[in-house]
Amino acid sequence: MADILHRVGIRSSLDDAYQALATRDGLAAWWTNDTRGDSEVGGILEFRFAKGGFDMKVLELVPGTRVLWKVVDGPKEWIGTTIRWDLRQESDYTIVNFKHEGWKEPVEFMHHCSTKWAVFLLSLKALVESGRGAPHPRDVKIDNWN
Amino acid sequence: MADILHRVGIRSSLDDAYQALATRDGLAAWWTNDTRGDSEVGGILEFRFAKGGFDMKVLELVPGTRVLWKVVDGPKEWIGTTIRWDLRQESDYTIVNFKHEGWKEPVEFMHHCSTKWAVFLLSLKALVESGRGAPHPRDVKIDNWN
């Protein structure tokens, strides 16, 4: 098993950062504009991109503390993995520790997704700090897979 | 053991991307302006930032194909880890697969370093494509650890 890890610090309240992760409108403003579905615990969120997308079951929502999803549909390498967001306040920052856990193999697609997650975490930071993220289709392109 | 993985695609020749990884001037233009030392196999490269830095022993240099370093001094979590750059051409892109291998534990500092590596890989891409990277001290800040 292999995991993708990231950390950003957002100059914001815990609640502002949490809202961007726990609500459909928040998610649409930094990850992909085409975000549908139900953001409550037990619901399925559907994130769509130019080529396909991901369906996530919301497993945990702890205000100001944690968001946890399980991938239930999407690329085969993603299915069954979990995506975890841990938040805490540290001086002027909301610290976000991110973990995309449970990849079966460290395939080349995992390398791509790791870099792309960093791009989207910086989009999340920009959104919460300035009101403007860079969600798909305005996301930063990193390679020939986009 | 845990690894940091990334992938970028650079619209460039293999040789242009390789030079940015294999020479002191190249490295100084996307990672840290304060890059010293010997970039030949067996040499030690010294990368310095506002707070400390990293000393890397150059283990392999295969033109257009691979650069491999071993960390010989720096933060204790980094010592003994290896940093591997694998390059290949794919249509208009030089594909760079990156691996920072051998972390003992997935500590919070590893989360930070993973995101920061993504930032520097995008700086590498910008340098090779446009002639202007964003090395330290002009690097993109990601959190309260910088």
Side-chain angles (χ1 to χ4, degrees), chain B residues 60-77:
Chain B
E60 279 187 55
L61 286 177
V62 185
T65 303
R66 188 181 312 118
V67 172
L68 181 66
W69 302 322
K70 181 167 192 143
V71 182
V72 294
D73 206 356
K76 66 179 190 306
E77 297 91 341

Side-chain angles (χ1 to χ4, degrees), chain A residues 5-9 88 90 93 95 97-98 108 111-112 114-115 118-119 125 141-145, chain B residues 5-9 88 90 93 95 97-98 108 111-112 114-115 118-119 122 125 141-145:
Chain A
L5 312 177
H6 287 297
R7 181 188 198 267
V8 292
R88 70 172 193 276
E90 203 170 288
Y93 290 85
I95 301 300
N97 277 293
F98 167 92
E108 190 166 2
H111 292 65
H112 166 87
S114 175
T115 312
V119 161
K125 175 175 163 70
K141 310 309 183 204
I142 62 166
D143 60 20
N144 57 336
W145 293 344
Chain B
L5 312 177
H6 287 297
R7 181 186 198 267
V8 291
R88 71 172 192 274
E90 204 171 287
Y93 290 85
I95 302 299
N97 277 294
F98 168 91
E108 190 166 1
H111 292 64
H112 166 88
S114 176
T115 312
V119 160
L122 293 173
K125 174 175 164 70
K141 311 309 184 201
I142 62 165
D143 60 20
N144 57 336
W145 293 343

